[in-house]
Amino acid sequence: MQDKYDAKAVEQAVRRRWEERGAFAVKDDDPRPKYYSLCMWPYPSGDLHVGHLRNYSIGDVWARHKRMQGFNVLQPMGWDAFGKDAELKARKEGIHPAAWVESNTANMRRELRELGYMVDWSRELATCNPKYYRWEQHLFLRMWEKDLVYYSPTKVLWDKATGTVVARRDVDDGKVARQDVEVREFPAYQMRLRRYGEELLAGLAKIAWPEKIVKDQQYLIGRSEGMSIRFALEAPAAGLEEIEVYTTRPDTLMGVTYMAVHASHPLAAAAAERDPKIKEFCEQALQILPIDAGNADSEKNGVALDVRVLNPVSGEPVPVWVADYVIDDYGSGALMGVPAHDERDFSFARKYGIPIVRVNALPGADPAAPVEQAEVAKGVAVNSGPLDGLDLAGCVAKLEELLGPKGKARRDHNMSLRDWPINRQMYWGTPIPIIKCAKCGLVPVPDEDLPVELPLDVDFLKEGLASHPEFVNAKCPKCGADAQRECDTMDTFVNSAWYYARFACRDAADEMVAARAAPWLPCDHYFGGDEHAQGHLVYARFIHKVMRDLKILPPESGDEPFAALLCQGMVLGSDRKKMSKSQDNTVMAKDILERYGADTARMYIIGIGNPKDAYPWNEEHVRDHALFLEALWTLARERREQVAAGADAEPAAANGLALKRLQAAIDRNLKEQRFNNLVFGGIHSIRNLVRDNPEDAGLQHQGFAALLKTLNLIAPHVAEELWAGLGYEGLLIDASWWEPIAAAELQGDEQLYVVQVNGRKRDELTVAAGLGDEEVIAAARACANVARHLEGKQVAQAKVVRKPGGHGIVFFVAKG
RNA sequence: GCCGAGAUGGCGGAAUGGGUAGACGCGGCGGACUCAAAAUCCGCUGUUAGCGAUAACAUGAGGGUUCGAGUCCCUCUCUCGGCACCA
């Protein structure tokens, strides 16, 4: 051991030691039980930022702990290497995306290795490798065969400036100028996410995920219960005799004062042909994307059509409007307007002077009271003829009885989840294995022609794949005629929807997911940011189920890809704002890695606070951890002899008990994933205990062992070095965790009681453990300060409460 | 608007099923070592009153339940993150 702690030298030496012993290599056929711990892989943007540092440090605490508990732990790493940012960045700087990605991954791989994460690098994957994406094309083809991907036009936001499809977000964030954006109808390959909606919803009950993510996904799936109700047209129009609407509030049926249809509805289209004003309105309304039907507070616009429908119960006619707040592909693209009991309908009706009729009132409220604002709360029906006095469930039953036999109403349900358009008009992505033939239409590429390789010698600055004749021109696999390849590529969310499965059989040449992956799947624990709650995490769950149904996954892989999930909070800038380039408050992992080394960086980021919460960056606190490790090093050097001497000794009873209690606290914090408490409450406290009891050799030996085992989860290099320096056997990374500590072991031969009178602490009392309640109460009553507070009062109650962990409460309730 | 998280000393943050609020760290104060300083080590450190024992007040605000509330219930304020016209 060096005199002084030199982080860089220690870390290099220790990493070399791990490498020489192959400490990170993972075998599929290891006899230990398996544990698959995965962190969301990074987008290779150049350097690791401190958010990555946090994510991977948290994951590594868990993975190393599982390993020490005796599991064969798989913790792989790879690159989400395709994507728009690489392409845009490359365009801007004139570098090929492939070159950009390669240099970035090289850099980030080095940084990850320097951080000492327990990653089996022989399993590394990158989405831009043809050996990876060929299986994505394979999956696409299998889904195409089963109609799980289909081709249909959809509306998208088109950026005229760059000639690409852009996301709504990018416009909102100002990445794309508003005036350059228009809505275009585009052919799209869509995955049938909706078909799995019910299962995606039900599956949420089977996984240990944060409540927040579960709620977000439930909301995204948006399953609702209601009725579909048919309104007859007063006179047939556009070849229609009736319009069906879906509603979750059939109890407000008698309050319908208009009906609204989407601009693409046949009734609207027919009216547009007759009336130029309606035509103009419809054209404008069609510029609104379905996903963008707004902005909840944007104004609602509409035009009345010269059409009326009849209320199926009362037969009363109401006008039909075309309105821009109607969503094309939700329900039937038409809705019944009930201004009194729906916010949107209310503001629409207000604007156009449409009558507002109360048909619902909370119990006891005046049914004749005017409606001042939309009353959404569910009461009972009023002013509703046959429905009067019924609640929602009652109304549904009544309407079923009244209208059901005539086929005018039925119970129904709906989902707001949409199918998933996966093609992007980008070069840097997985080519879609489809050939477009003038005669045969869309023809899948035969399996033997996979992969459809993305050509690298492309002028991606201009037209991407379309400008590459050797790529574009192909023969139709069906009829042999000249045909063109599909030039769109896949959404990167497809790339990362199945990578967890491929990690388990990284180089399988003949199968997407080989049999040897079976023991690993599903993934036991996943770590990542909650920004993926509604994107990646839904797509991965969907693709897992699809792969299961297509028999791509081994049968034991389960219904869900990730059994447990931890979403770590953000690392904020030192100004407590979200880190961003524009705020100039970003911190890169290398800034701290170079200055202090990996162990200090990891110690800081784990100690920063509860993994789930967001914390601001604080450079001063980084230094504190560096100082701690230095002091620990010095202490360990001083104690080498005592540690060796204590190998066969037991600590003094009180010290042994104190150590056990700290270890129990460490176990609890690990179980609850409160990793920050491992640093201060755990490692620091054990350090203090051994530091303050130098004469207790047994404690030195056991205490340092426990300390280093815990430190191994967080600052593994220095822990490994001290482990060797203090003469412990073998590699620390291979050491086993201590046995779970039973509550009985935490009990000393003395018991501390806090004595309370009327709920206020009045004294402390230490007595031999094992005394009966009466003896303890008697002793408590005898405490001077307690006696003083009880004097002249009647003791109405006296009780002993024993808490686990060696303390208790004695309380007196005194009156008078 | 909806969903979620949060508010505890000068600061970061602890506190197991309601049971010693402020663990541990930083900073501050005092001391040791030193010619001196840095580093290191030791002690003290929520506020107020008191020489002291001790007492009162303290976990965003206000109520409630309880012998006892940071923790449970109700109302409110503020901060952060995500999602948003899904009939």
Side-chain angles (χ1 to χ4, degrees):
Chain A
M1 275 174 85
Q2 300 288 311
D3 283 358
K4 214 166 149 23
Y5 171 52
D6 178 346
K8 293 262 164 62
V10 167
E11 289 174 11
Q12 268 181 23
V14 167
R15 273 200 299 279
R16 204 172 313 126
R17 209 175 307 155
W18 285 335
E19 211 158 302
E20 281 161 8
R21 315 259 188 112
F24 294 170
V26 180
K27 289 199 196 105
D28 293 332
D29 57 358
D30 190 291
R32 290 173 294 177
K34 72 94 185 182
Y35 195 92
Y36 184 2
S37 180
L38 180 65
C39 295
M40 288 182 187
W41 60 1
Y43 182 80
S45 53
D47 280 296
L48 291 180
H49 54 70
V50 289
H52 292 124
L53 173 67
R54 189 164 190 209
N55 187 203
Y56 302 136
S57 297
I58 288 170
D60 209 42
V61 167
W62 195 248
R64 283 174 178 266
H65 181 236
K66 284 292 163 192
R67 173 163 170 159
M68 294 179 92
Q69 283 185 314
F71 290 92
N72 181 32
V73 175
L74 173 61
Q75 184 178 235
M77 184 53 74
W79 312 100
D80 187 15
F82 272 141
K84 194 169 66 178
D85 285 6
E87 184 164 338
L88 294 182
K89 176 94 181 167
R91 276 193 210 183
K92 214 191 271 174
E93 301 185 5
I95 314 164
H96 196 284
W100 188 76
V101 159
E102 179 151 349
S103 80
N104 286 352
T105 52
N107 193 36
M108 289 167 78
R109 185 186 303 111
R110 199 196 65 240
E111 289 172 345
L112 287 168
R113 291 190 121 143
E114 278 179 23
L115 281 160
Y117 296 127
M118 197 182 73
V119 167
D120 181 354
W121 285 99
S122 72
R123 291 176 187 255
E124 184 179 345
L125 288 174
T127 54
C128 60
N129 186 331
K131 285 182 183 160
Y132 181 81
Y133 67 69
R134 82 147 277 178
W135 293 110
E136 197 161 301
Q137 294 171 336
H138 171 88
L139 174 67
F140 179 95
L141 293 174
R142 301 290 84 76
M143 290 177 73
W144 183 263
E145 287 161 6
K146 299 278 185 191
D147 188 40
L148 287 165
V149 198
Y150 62 98
Y151 187 73
S152 91
T154 187
K155 282 184 237 162
V156 294
L157 288 173
W158 180 256
D159 179 4
K160 286 179 278 185
T162 54
T164 56
V165 173
V166 292
R168 167 85 208 159
R169 278 185 89 99
D170 295 336
V171 182
D172 286 345
D173 295 351
K175 282 190 201 160
V176 181
R178 183 92 241 186
Q179 66 269 19
D180 290 338
V181 177
E182 64 180 15
V183 171
R184 272 202 195 178
E185 193 140 283
F186 245 83
Y189 295 87
Q190 305 213 47
M191 290 195 174
R192 292 205 187 273
L193 196 56
R194 269 185 133 141
R195 189 176 286 181
Y196 282 80
E198 296 281 353
E199 206 202 325
L200 286 168
L201 191 62
L204 291 169
K206 298 185 213 162
I207 45 185
W209 283 23
E211 187 198 1
K212 153 100 175 112
I213 307 290
V214 169
K215 281 245 163 103
D216 279 357
Q217 296 215 352
Q218 283 168 345
Y219 187 75
L220 178 79
I221 295 163
R223 190 186 197 283
S224 68
E225 298 279 353
M227 293 186 94
S228 281
I229 300 175
R230 293 183 174 197
F231 286 63
L233 289 168
E234 201 175 32
L240 294 174
E241 292 188 2
E242 55 183 14
I243 302 177
E244 186 174 271
V245 295
Y246 170 75
T247 178
T248 53
R249 292 297 303 275
D251 58 326
T252 62
L253 177 62
M254 304 310 285
V256 173
T257 54
Y258 68 97
M259 173 162 295
V261 299
H262 186 258
S264 64
H265 195 278
L267 277 181
E273 274 176 33
R274 296 193 305 269
D275 186 337
K277 262 166 64 188
I278 296 177
K279 186 173 186 195
E280 193 193 339
F281 177 82
C282 287
E283 277 168 3
Q284 262 177 30
L286 286 169
Q287 281 286 303
I288 295 172
L289 273 180
I291 44 160
D292 187 29
N295 228 324
D297 19 79
S298 76
E299 201 171 325
K300 293 153 187 50
N301 306 296
V303 180
L305 305 177
D306 189 19
V307 179
R308 297 203 290 179
V309 292
L310 306 175
N311 186 304
V313 174
S314 65
E316 198 168 313
V318 296
V320 178
W321 289 62
V322 53
D324 63 2
Y325 74 99
V326 179
I327 297 167
D328 188 13
D329 63 348
Y330 185 77
S332 56
L335 61 87
M336 59 182 219
V338 187
H341 305 292
D342 183 278
E343 307 261 3
R344 297 151 297 175
D345 298 348
F346 184 85
S347 67
F348 188 78
R350 265 279 165 92
K351 180 171 177 186
Y352 292 107
I354 296 168
I356 298 169
V357 179
R358 173 190 294 279
V359 290
N360 199 277
L362 292 173
D366 176 12
V371 178
E372 305 290 349
Q373 55 188 357
E375 292 183 20
V376 183
K378 294 183 187 90
V380 294
V382 296
N383 309 322
S384 292
L387 302 181
D388 274 351
L390 296 174
D391 64 4
L392 176 60
C395 288
V396 170
K398 189 77 183 174
L399 289 171
E400 240 185 343
E401 179 195 322
L402 288 175
L403 302 176
K406 294 186 250 172
K408 290 278 189 187
R410 66 193 150 85
R411 283 175 200 263
D412 203 358
H413 61 84
N414 228 316
M415 256 189 287
S416 54
L417 186 69
R418 281 158 215 289
D419 281 343
W420 175 21
I422 55 131
N423 54 314
R424 299 289 179 270
Q425 285 68 41
M426 298 296 289
Y427 157 70
W428 189 237
T430 303
I432 292 174
I434 289 284
I435 292 172
K436 298 186 272 192
C437 170
K439 202 173 111 205
C440 309
L442 300 176
V443 182
V445 172
D447 282 350
E448 56 271 25
D449 294 344
L450 293 187
V452 177
E453 271 201 56
L454 183 72
L456 296 179
D457 57 337
V458 149
D459 186 2
F460 64 90
L461 292 171
K462 293 197 185 108
E463 293 174 66
L465 288 176
S467 66
H468 194 282
E470 290 120 77
F471 178 82
V472 176
N473 297 323
K475 298 286 179 207
C476 169
K478 236 186 201 166
C479 70
D482 285 345
Q484 280 85 45
R485 273 185 204 285
E486 176 57 67
C487 290
D488 281 1
T489 53
M490 290 191 219
D491 183 359
T492 54
F493 276 128
V494 184
N495 307 159
S496 55
W498 62 282
Y499 74 115
Y500 62 92
R502 188 67 182 173
F503 271 136
C505 58
R506 182 246 193 198
D507 52 2
D510 306 318
E511 285 161 290
M512 183 171 179
V513 183
R516 68 180 139 105
W520 294 111
L521 298 173
C523 177
D524 296 282
H525 209 309
Y526 199 28
F527 296 87
D530 60 5
E531 67 272 21
H532 292 109
Q534 298 201 358
H536 165 63
L537 289 169
V538 176
Y539 298 136
R541 293 181 60 224
F542 164 69
I543 291 293
H544 186 87
K545 292 168 198 299
V546 167
M547 291 195 296
R548 174 201 63 193
D549 291 347
L550 293 173
K551 311 251 184 304
I552 289 170
L553 289 179
E556 313 83 349
S557 306
D559 298 324
E560 292 285 339
F562 312 116
L565 173 68
L566 172 77
C567 290
Q568 86 277 2
M570 275 186 296
V571 183
L572 306 170
S574 49
D575 53 6
R576 291 188 163 265
K577 292 197 181 92
K578 206 170 169 173
M579 279 192 186
S580 74
K581 277 188 193 137
S582 57
Q583 298 273 355
D584 195 30
N585 61 354
T586 55
V587 183
M588 289 300 166
K590 66 175 177 185
D591 298 341
I592 160 175
L593 193 52
E594 281 165 11
R595 284 256 287 290
Y596 297 99
D599 288 331
T600 297
R602 295 177 57 159
M603 192 109 168
Y604 166 70
I605 208 70
I606 290 297
I608 196 167
N610 188 333
K612 290 175 188 144
D613 294 332
Y615 295 93
W617 182 259
N618 187 328
E619 184 88 35
E620 280 172 41
H621 293 169
V622 178
R623 196 210 46 184
D624 296 340
H625 291 283
L627 292 177
F628 173 83
L629 290 178
E630 244 173 70
L632 180 66
W633 181 277
T634 308
L635 182 71
R637 261 182 56 80
E638 286 169 13
R639 298 293 167 83
R640 271 180 296 182
E641 281 168 29
Q642 291 98 313
V643 168
D648 301 312
E650 279 302 312
N655 291 337
L657 187 63
L659 180 60
K660 277 242 166 2
R661 286 179 179 165
L662 290 173
Q663 287 177 286
I666 287 168
D667 284 341
R668 197 176 64 238
N669 284 316
L670 277 164
K671 195 171 156 223
E672 292 171 6
Q673 300 186 317
R674 299 292 304 269
F675 302 146
N676 53 322
N677 289 347
L678 300 179
V679 176
F680 296 114
I683 292 164
H684 279 252
S685 298
I686 298 183
R687 189 277 307 252
N688 294 350
L689 181 67
V690 293
R691 181 191 60 200
D692 297 343
N693 294 281
E695 73 298 331
D696 188 341
L699 173 72
Q700 298 300 309
H701 188 84
Q702 292 185 13
F704 267 107
L707 187 157
L708 294 177
K709 284 177 181 183
T710 311
L711 191 64
N712 176 52
L713 311 182
I714 300 165
H717 306 89
V718 65
E720 189 75 75
E721 184 69 12
L722 291 177
W723 183 261
L726 289 175
Y728 293 104
E729 261 179 51
L731 280 183
L732 175 57
I733 192 174
D734 292 325
S736 53
W737 201 250
W738 54 75
E739 291 299 314
I741 294 160
E745 294 182 70
L746 302 177
Q747 205 68 26
D749 46 15
E750 283 186 332
Q751 175 94 27
L752 173 75
Y753 290 95
V754 169
V755 187
Q756 297 178 343
V757 178
N758 290 338
R760 311 201 61 142
K761 178 186 170 187
R762 294 304 178 191
D763 214 333
E764 283 176 12
L765 173 68
T766 303
V767 294
L771 288 188
D773 286 1
E774 307 217 338
E775 292 162 289
V776 174
I777 288 168
R781 204 191 274 267
C783 293
N785 202 39
V786 175
R788 197 159 69 82
H789 281 91
L790 289 177
E791 206 182 336
K793 292 183 178 166
Q794 274 235 301
V795 175
Q797 204 184 350
K799 238 181 150 171
V800 179
V801 181
R802 292 184 171 81
K803 307 295 288 181
H807 78 279
I809 305 285
V810 182
F811 72 82
F812 296 95
V813 183
K815 286 180 181 155

